[in-house]
Amino acid sequence: MSDVAIKRIAFFNPQGNFDRNDSHLTEHPDFGGQLVYVKELAKAMASKGIQVDIITRQIIDKDWPEFAEPFDYYPDTPNLRIVRIPFGGEQFLRKEDLWKHLPEYVNGILRFYEQEGSFPDFVTTHYGDGGISGVMFLSETDVPFSFTGHSLGAWKLEKLLKNGTDPEELEKKYRFSIRVYAENLSINYASFIVCSTTQERYEQYSHKLYKADPYSDKFKVIPPGINHKIFTTQRQPHDELIEKYIEQVLSRASLKRQKLPFIIMSSRIDKKKNHIAVVKAFMNDERLKQSANLFIVVRGIDDVERYVIEHNNEEAQILKEILENVKDEIGNSVFFVNITDQPSLAAFYRVAAIRESVFVLPAIYEPFGLAIVEAAACGLKIVATKNGGPSEILSNGEGILIDPEDLNDISSKLYVALEQFDNTKSLTLAKKYSWERTAESYLENIQSALSKKEDLSREVLMQDLENFKNMISF
């Protein structure tokens, strides 16, 4: 291990946004799990005395007032600051619409550090847009970077094509050609590439659209962590409030149903999270329906039926399909709960765990499955998709794996979890994952990268970036 001193690390995360109150976190496709990952990892690094910057986008938009100031902070982490760079205009933009503005983002970062008089020692980049920004920054500064893809565009493209979606429409909406090219440059020029699981390393990066050798030492498997101060079996101040809320939600149901355990889904309402499969499995299995109540967490929605009438977005369409399937069971065996922050969610998990309830993650594919570990840490029993990270996380029987496209498999295993499974192993599972451990693994690899900086072929690098800029100019 080298003794290279690390004074400052920058996180490049142009999409979504961060603020001290975690506004919108996990409520929107651009505010998903990778933002939680970046925030918690950055805080864990900062707690070790390193100065850390999360560099994202300044948004001056009346619908997103939380992101207007150029700086923000987490009050409990003095070494960490959120730096918002103005680029791409003032209004909120979807991540798919940011690609053409990324050179402006990197130029803003360069000006920012030039004005400060010093640059970071290392950059961690996240998602393809952060990765290509790291490549551009490297070309100007020689500051090395790591790449954490979180999810890879080629696999999303492949899945959508299999569903029969028109390729031209996909390109127009998601800009897959740009995303995959950016990911390839990120892979090529990163000092190391972080994968959450061995499955991600060997299967995800083996896709034919990537020029990668996942068997090389450049790839590092570093599992993410959870915040054990929030996700714990220990009772917290939020618990009493959530208990009263759940009592109110259950008040319309019969006394018998009020005492039943819960089957809980709390993923973002997104088609790929596959809520509808559990809903159908639950509704079609009378034995299962008599054994538990189904709880669906909806963030920021007090009245689901009204929301469906007033909105026409993907979330509303998914909720409409759920409502059509549950019919008269709302308030009887099926319940929607509006829980908007992590402490309240953890409190809900603890309240449910007292009833020996089950958390289910039925995604068609889940890259890692951090939500599994969070739920397990609060005492819930775990049922999860066999596709992706959960098969690795639960490899020692800490939970039950399901085929997310087989309703009978889902219903039968949920019943087994309710009747025969306990949470002993799931509690053990949670202890394996901490952000401190994740940060230590990153820092070990950063130290190693800084001690053996590799010479770049600047001519090839500049040509690669010229190709990228030509792609985004159309």
Side-chain angles (χ1 to χ4, degrees), residues 11 13 42 51 62 95 192 222 270 301 320 362 390 393 409 428 458:
F11 283 64
N13 207 107
Q51 299 295 319
K62 63 181 176 58
K95 61 179 180 287
F192 61 92
I222 304 176
D270 184 306
I301 303 173
K320 181 180 179 182
I393 296 172
D409 191 54
T428 304
R458 298 203 65 81

Side-chain angles (χ1 to χ4, degrees), residues 6 9 11 37 40-48 50 52 124 192 222-225 434-447:
I6 303 172
I9 294 174
F11 283 64
Y37 182 111
E40 295 292 353
L41 176 59
K43 290 179 76 171
M45 285 187 180
S47 72
K48 297 181 179 297
I50 297 168
V52 179
T124 79
F192 61 92
I222 304 176
S434 73
W435 287 113
E436 181 179 6
R437 187 176 296 178
T438 306
E440 288 170 354
S441 296
Y442 262 86
L443 290 171
E444 286 174 10
N445 285 288
I446 290 171
Q447 287 275 12

